[in-house]
Amino acid sequence: GRGAADRRAFYTAERCGSIVCEFVPTRLQSLRLVDGLENLSIATGVLVGELAGGEVSPQIYSLCGTGPRSTLRILRHGLAVTELATSSLPGIPGSIYTIASPDTGYDKYIVVSFADATLVLSIGDTVEEVNDSGFLTDVPTLACAALADGGMVQIHPGGVRHIKDNQAKEWQCPGLKRIERATTNSMQVIIALAGGEINYFELDVVSGILNEMGQKVMGLEVECLDVGPVPPGRARSLFAAVGCRDDTVRILALSPGQTLVQRSSHLLQSRPYSVALALLPSEPGHVDTTLSVGLDNGSAMRSTLDPVTGAMGAPSARFLGARPVNTSRARVGGSACTVLLSSRPWICRVDGAGKTTTVPLSYAPLDHACAFTSEAIPEGIVATAGETLRIVTVELASEGAFNQTSVPLRYTPRGVCLFGDNIVLVESDANDLGVTVKRNMGFDGSGSGDKKPKDLDGEMDIDSDDDDDHEEDDEEDEEEAAAKTTPVRGPLPATPGSWASCIRLLSPTTTETLDCLELAASEAALCCCSVQFASRGAEVLLAVGTVTHMTHHPVAHKAAHVHLYRHAGGKLVLLHKTLVDGVVAALSHFQGKLLVGVGGALRLYEMGKKQLLLKCEFRGMPSMVKTMQAAGDRAYIGDIRHGIHYFRYDASLNRLILLANDSLSRCITCQELLDLDTVAAGDKFGNICVLRLPTGAALGNTAHQGQGRTLWDVSALNRSTTQLEMLCHYHVGEIVTGMTRASLVAGGAEALIYVTVTGRIGALLPFTSRDDVDFYQELEVKLRGEVPRPTGRDPQAFRSYYVPIKHVVDGDLCDAFASMPYGAQKKMADSLDRTVGEVLKKLEDTRNGLL
């Protein structure tokens, strides 16, 4: 009775809001994070572009999370690289090598070769130059290595220098000939003289002498050569690879009795620039000799050698960059790999599934590289870039296609756009209080507050060892401290319609927040765009759409505005804001003006001194404008319930003319313009479609245009309007929240990149030939009945959940071919009149076209 009524009166919203701040979030004390799975959920948008500067491939900027756990994830295609040391060099080097110590197995020298000199660096507690190594320092070094007898070998243009026990023996070039190319391992030395003559030396471990075993005249100049490492349990490498000026790579035998006998050759697409033989693991306890050839045109060719005959298998080529490809060997993740250097660094390695992959490194371009190992760095790479020497390691913590950097945000990200050289994000949370209000209430939502809570009466006392806790905090690194932090959203507002929102200006090069504007209480930013008004010249301004006191049940709001900002001194400066009568969910720059979606109306604004000036309006949208893009004199509008609409702006009539609309009522969540007539769109039911304007509909219906309705138009969207043609349709299975067009690698095809609400990143890659279409369609049909179905659902029925799948091949289904047993692969490949290797190569080439 009365007691229950008193309790209900006591626990009012106002009372709860006043006492909830007494709860101070603390850091975890009894739990320690052991492992975690990185996830982009919830992804609310995506932006792709090379914005960081100095990187070849673009970055993917994904808006993730909700509330205090919101982040901006910056994803880079490739493996993460940690730079451990960097040092300046006296010039631009021509190559770099390391020499291991016979006692410890760690590298003791770094040898840097220049055009007319050699620099020898000793590795210890510090890296410093030495002059007593026995190397000639007044000549360039073409190759060097530690030999199996405990000595070293240096190959320079004048000869081969064998150094052991502080004594040097040298083989001089005959006559006036000079050494142009050289390669060596712990047992063998191969040199190429001018004119294409190859000399082969082998170390006699008993006598400690390098014996000349044979020579061969190739008949043409040698561009590159490599002898490869000595396989475990063998006395020598059985093969050497030689790249010749006639655009061929040749395999020479080095076994006794068949020295320098050619075993196989392959015609290349371009002149070979470098070549490397690496022992890559294939099965447990077995290794394959893999040939990697870097070409002048920026491509790399990979092939596997037969261990007995030396015959080359089916080659696989890939374009890596605009620069010639330099190859070398290294170790990453406990196994051998090949480093490929072009416009960006790559590595060729065998992943955890036993598949040989070529993946890029998220690092600046490098000129030369080789393996580096020390007691502190067991698997590193020493490289040069310009006049700098760098020691790096490759991180394999995540073997996915991307590595990511996380930037914490304050609220749920709602939109993102480019603003000059920076990125602008608008963040807002419903039913939340602003950070200033929370701070005034004494609430700290970072989760890093004191562990000792304070009682309302000051009587609670908890025993704790404060000194020990402070010592532990000092010893924790940043990652461990972040793992122990538990973000808490905070007290709930007493009244509905409360919002917390901010506008963040972020530098993509440093990922630092340049400015963060907290909006007024209960005002939420929903969208943003950069705009250049014709009346303001080339100045780029920022337009932000906001709404005040908006509620979802029922849908209502008190006010809505369009804010206009300029960038001055690294800060956002408000110019003015314009009151509108509907929710602003989409903005776009359009022909020197600002196109705004205000509820169910389209409005075109010009810049004014105190507010935006309305120039044109279309009031016939069936529901509410959700997405918007513009190109030329056309605007592409996505309605939140009724699909895509195409508009054309007639400047002479100052009128927006409807060209065509969608035949289906799609609940649009995102869109991306593919060309002037084609738009891709995603809806809230997990579908992606591609729509195109029919031929002849570009001018629209001008039969009933009147001269009296130039400012606004309330024409209803009826069935007489031209309908868009649906070119493609595909059911993803998750709500698609963002999409954009981008090419993720140099020379790769431009694809449609999308993100879903669960954090998936997907891509739709266009076919470029009819043969590819026929191949993949036939492969898809055959795989539908062969691939196991975990849910028991037919793949085609799933992809046609709402609308029959059209002109899209299920890439996930085709990729399942690689995981099938070999017998099933052979049977299916025979039915396609191809070999298993050809099918796998086709799948790899298509994947390489995207990544």
Side-chain angles (χ1 to χ4, degrees):
R2 181 175 178 81
D6 291 341
R7 286 193 296 270
R8 286 194 298 270
F10 179 80
Y11 291 111
T12 60
E14 292 79 3
R15 175 58 179 166
C16 293
S18 63
I19 66 175
V20 72
C21 62
E22 300 298 336
F23 168 71
V24 180
T26 62
R27 297 168 61 183
L28 297 176
Q29 300 300 316
S30 303
L31 299 176
R32 182 181 297 272
L33 180 66
V34 176
D35 195 9
L37 181 63
E38 295 288 347
N39 195 327
L40 300 182
S41 178
I42 296 170
T44 60
V46 64
L47 176 68
V48 179
E50 204 298 281
L51 308 179
E55 300 183 16
V56 177
S57 62
Q59 304 89 41
I60 299 179
Y61 297 83
S62 177
L63 311 182
C64 305
T66 58
R69 297 180 181 271
S70 300
T71 57
L72 172 67
R73 305 288 181 90
I74 305 175
L75 290 87
R76 291 175 169 83
H77 177 219
L79 300 176
V81 175
T82 302
E83 184 179 279
L84 303 178
T86 180
S87 177
S88 299
L89 295 173
I92 298 178
S95 57
I96 186 171
Y97 314 94
T98 55
I99 295 180
S101 170
D103 301 327
T104 62
Y106 298 126
D107 293 331
K108 65 176 181 178
Y109 292 131
I110 297 176
V111 181
V112 185
S113 175
F114 298 92
D116 56 356
T118 295
L119 177 66
V120 183
L121 303 175
S122 176
I123 304 172
D125 295 335
T126 60
V127 177
E128 55 186 4
E129 181 180 359
V130 295
N131 297 315
D132 57 352
S133 61
F135 277 66
L136 296 179
T137 58
D138 57 348
V139 294
T141 298
L142 302 178
C144 63
L147 297 178
D149 64 346
M152 300 178 295
V153 61
Q154 178 192 18
I155 307 170
H156 55 88
V160 179
R161 186 178 179 85
H162 184 194
I163 308 166
K164 185 179 180 182
D165 298 333
N166 295 325
Q167 296 182 355
K169 299 178 182 179
E170 189 155 349
W171 178 89
Q172 298 289 341
C173 292
L176 299 177
K177 293 185 177 181
R178 307 288 287 176
I179 301 176
E180 294 187 345
R181 303 288 184 270
T183 179
T184 179
N185 58 24
S186 61
M187 293 292 298
Q188 299 156 292
V189 175
I190 301 179
I191 61 175
L193 304 178
E197 180 182 341
I198 292 180
N199 289 35
Y200 171 54
F201 301 84
E202 192 169 304
L203 177 67
D204 187 342
V205 181
V206 177
S207 62
I209 299 176
L210 279 172
N211 297 318
E212 185 173 358
M213 306 300 293
Q215 57 180 280
K216 180 182 180 68
V217 178
M218 301 298 296
L220 67 166
E221 294 293 338
V222 175
E223 295 293 330
C224 53
L225 72 164
D226 186 65
V227 66
V230 178
R234 293 185 177 271
R236 62 181 62 84
S237 175
L238 298 180
F239 304 105
V242 181
C244 300
R245 187 163 292 183
D246 61 348
D247 298 350
T248 61
V249 58
R250 310 183 185 196
I251 303 300
L252 305 182
L254 301 179
S255 56
Q258 296 182 341
T259 304
L260 300 181
V261 175
Q262 180 172 318
R263 291 296 187 88
S264 61
S265 64
H266 181 75
L267 182 63
L268 304 172
Q269 302 174 351
S270 178
R271 181 173 297 179
Y273 183 79
S274 62
V275 64
L277 291 171
L279 301 176
L280 303 185
S282 57
E283 299 177 0
H286 296 81
V287 293
D288 286 338
T289 303
T290 302
L291 170 68
S292 298
V293 184
L295 306 181
D296 272 345
N297 62 0
S299 300
M301 189 273 290
R302 186 185 76 242
S303 180
T304 301
L305 299 186
D306 186 281
V308 178
T309 64
M312 287 187 288
S316 175
R318 177 164 188 173
F319 180 75
L320 303 183
R323 292 164 49 177
V325 179
N326 198 346
T327 61
S328 61
R329 289 181 292 273
R331 291 188 64 84
V332 172
S335 61
C337 68
T338 305
V339 180
L340 308 170
L341 305 178
S342 183
S343 299
R344 67 180 303 186
W346 300 66
I347 62 169
C348 177
R349 61 182 294 269
V350 178
D351 59 15
K355 183 170 60 175
T356 303
T357 59
T358 302
V359 295
L361 303 181
S362 295
Y363 197 66
L366 300 174
D367 300 329
H368 309 279
C370 70
F372 175 82
T373 178
S374 67
E375 187 174 0
I377 310 172
E379 293 180 348
I381 297 174
V382 58
T384 63
E387 296 184 355
T388 60
L389 178 71
R390 310 183 184 193
I391 299 177
V392 300
T393 58
V394 179
E395 304 294 334
L396 293 180
S398 174
E399 293 200 14
F402 301 92
N403 69 90
Q404 60 179 280
T405 303
S406 180
V407 179
L409 303 179
R410 187 176 296 176
Y411 309 114
T412 302
R414 304 288 179 175
V416 61
C417 72
L418 291 176
F419 187 40
D421 296 331
N422 301 314
I423 296 176
V424 171
L425 299 99
V426 291
E427 311 166 28
S428 58
D429 273 329
N431 202 25
D432 198 0
L433 298 175
V435 64
T436 305
V437 178
K438 292 179 183 178
R439 189 179 298 115
N440 293 336
M441 295 173 63
F443 179 80
D444 178 15
S446 64
S448 58
D450 297 333
K451 295 179 284 299
K452 181 177 179 179
K454 182 175 65 174
D455 184 68
L456 292 176
D457 298 330
E459 297 177 356
M460 182 176 291
D461 187 14
I462 300 177
D463 294 335
S464 62
D465 298 330
D466 293 338
D467 296 337
D468 296 340
D469 293 339
H470 287 301
E471 291 178 1
E472 292 178 1
D473 292 344
D474 293 338
E475 295 176 357
E476 289 178 341
D477 58 9
E478 294 182 0
E479 293 183 1
E480 186 174 358
K484 289 184 176 182
T485 300
T486 307
V488 178
R489 180 163 181 169
L492 297 177
T495 58
S498 297
W499 287 75
S501 182
C502 68
I503 304 172
R504 185 183 302 270
L505 181 66
L506 187 82
S507 171
T509 56
T510 62
T511 67
E512 294 180 356
T513 297
L514 304 178
D515 192 15
C516 187
L517 294 179
E518 186 78 13
L519 297 185
S522 299
E523 185 176 16
L526 301 180
C527 59
C528 62
C529 79
S530 58
V531 58
Q532 287 182 278
F533 289 98
S535 59
R536 301 281 295 194
E539 184 179 9
V540 181
L541 303 178
L542 174 67
V544 179
T546 67
V547 64
T548 305
H549 288 288
M550 185 174 71
T551 59
H552 295 98
H553 302 288
V555 178
H557 68 281
K558 291 186 177 180
H561 297 84
V562 177
H563 294 225
L564 212 57
Y565 297 88
R566 70 187 305 177
H567 186 204
K571 303 292 183 180
L572 293 175
V573 180
L574 177 64
L575 296 179
H576 55 65
K577 61 180 182 179
T578 303
L579 179 66
V580 294
D581 57 357
V583 176
V584 180
L587 301 164
S588 178
H589 169 81
F590 183 68
Q591 290 196 341
K593 299 179 179 64
L594 179 63
L595 186 62
V596 183
V598 182
L602 283 178
R603 294 181 180 177
L604 194 61
Y605 285 96
E606 180 59 271
M607 178 70 177
K609 291 184 177 180
K610 295 185 178 181
Q611 67 175 17
L612 295 175
L613 305 177
L614 179 62
K615 293 299 182 182
C616 177
E617 182 176 13
F618 181 91
R619 298 183 182 177
M621 295 299 293
S623 181
M624 188 179 83
V625 176
K626 179 64 174 66
T627 59
M628 178 187 300
Q629 286 180 294
D633 63 346
R634 295 188 189 179
Y636 309 85
I637 311 301
D639 190 273
I640 198 170
R641 295 178 184 172
H642 295 275
I644 299 294
H645 300 73
Y646 282 36
F647 287 87
R648 182 175 64 86
Y649 176 65
D650 192 331
S652 61
L653 299 176
N654 189 30
R655 185 179 182 186
L656 288 167
I657 302 173
L658 177 65
L659 299 181
N661 59 11
D662 199 348
S663 59
L664 298 179
S665 297
R666 309 178 197 272
C667 298
I668 299 299
T669 57
C670 58
Q671 70 177 53
E672 177 62 22
L673 183 63
L674 302 183
D675 59 42
L676 196 60
D677 295 329
T678 313
V679 167
D683 62 33
K684 75 173 185 178
F685 298 108
N687 301 304
I688 292 179
C689 63
V690 177
L691 306 173
R692 175 169 290 177
L693 184 68
T695 304
L699 297 178
N701 185 11
T702 60
H704 302 287
Q705 292 180 4
Q707 297 294 328
R709 297 188 301 171
T710 58
L711 180 61
W712 53 271
D713 190 352
V714 294
S715 302
L717 302 181
N718 51 48
R719 302 300 298 179
S720 63
T721 305
T722 304
Q723 303 298 301
L724 297 172
E725 298 177 355
M726 186 176 68
L727 300 184
C728 305
H729 197 280
Y730 184 73
H731 179 65
V732 176
E734 302 168 6
I735 301 176
V736 181
T737 55
M739 60 174 56
T740 184
R741 286 183 300 129
S743 175
L744 299 181
V745 294
E750 191 176 51
L752 182 66
I753 312 296
Y754 66 87
V755 295
T756 68
V757 71
T758 61
R760 177 198 297 185
I761 298 180
L764 296 176
L765 188 67
F767 287 117
T768 57
S769 68
R770 186 65 195 178
D771 292 340
D772 291 343
V773 175
D774 295 339
F775 168 78
Y776 277 103
Q777 285 182 340
E778 190 174 357
L779 178 62
E780 181 186 25
V781 171
K782 295 183 180 300
L783 284 171
R784 285 172 184 166
E786 298 292 337
V787 175
R789 306 175 187 176
T791 62
R793 182 179 296 179
D794 180 71
Q796 186 178 17
F798 173 71
R799 298 304 181 188
S800 306
Y801 198 87
Y802 289 94
V803 177
I805 185 174
K806 183 177 182 181
H807 295 166
V808 180
V809 175
D810 191 347
D812 292 336
L813 181 62
C814 294
D815 198 48
F817 177 86
S819 60
M820 295 174 59
Y822 181 78
Q825 289 181 341
K826 182 71 167 58
K827 181 180 178 181
M828 188 170 296
D830 292 341
S831 64
L832 295 172
D833 295 331
R834 296 173 182 260
T835 64
V836 175
E838 290 174 345
V839 176
L840 293 175
K841 184 176 182 300
K842 192 73 173 178
L843 293 171
E844 182 183 3
D845 291 342
T846 303
R847 190 182 302 108
N848 291 343
L850 175 66
L851 297 175

